[in-house]
Amino acid sequence: MEKIESQWKEVNEEELTLSARCVYRIRRRAVELYRKGGSAREIFCATGMNHMEVLRLWRRCCAKDPDTGECLGYKALVPKSKTKTFIR
C-alpha cells in the first residue's frame, strides 16, 4: 500500500472551501490510518468514519482516472469530486 500512495498527487487545499477542506482532511486522515493498519475502532475514534466508508474511499482513491490512466489518489477524497465520466 505504501507504494501506491507515494504516487498520489497532493491536493491544493487553498482552492477548497472551508467546509470542503474539513471534510477532505477527515477523509484523508481516515485513509492514512487505514493504510498504516489502524483498527476500525481507532479510525472511528479519530475520524468518526466506519470501516465500510473508509474502505469505499480507499477503493475510490486507487481507481484509475479514465482520461490519464493514473490513480485518482487524494483528489478522490475531495467532496463532490467527479471520479467517473458520465456516459449516456
Side-chain angles (χ1 to χ4, degrees), residues 21-87:
R21 192 177 313 145
C22 290
V23 172
Y24 168 76
R25 287 179 179 168
I26 290 170
R27 289 177 175 179
R28 181 169 173 155
R29 175 85 173 125
V31 167
E32 287 173 351
L33 286 170
Y34 176 77
R35 181 188 59 84
K36 292 178 182 173
S39 68
R41 181 182 204 89
E42 179 185 359
I43 295 170
F44 182 78
C45 288
T47 64
M49 299 182 79
N50 69 40
H51 180 70
M52 293 307 294
E53 288 176 283
V54 177
L55 189 57
R56 178 184 61 82
L57 289 172
W58 174 258
R59 288 181 180 150
R60 190 172 173 179
C61 289
C62 293
K64 301 277 184 185
D65 185 345
D67 297 330
T68 64
E70 297 177 345
C71 285
L72 291 170
Y74 292 125
K75 86 176 166 182
L77 302 176
V78 175
K80 299 181 182 174
S81 62
K82 304 293 184 220
T83 57
K84 294 182 181 178
T85 306
F86 178 75
I87 300 174

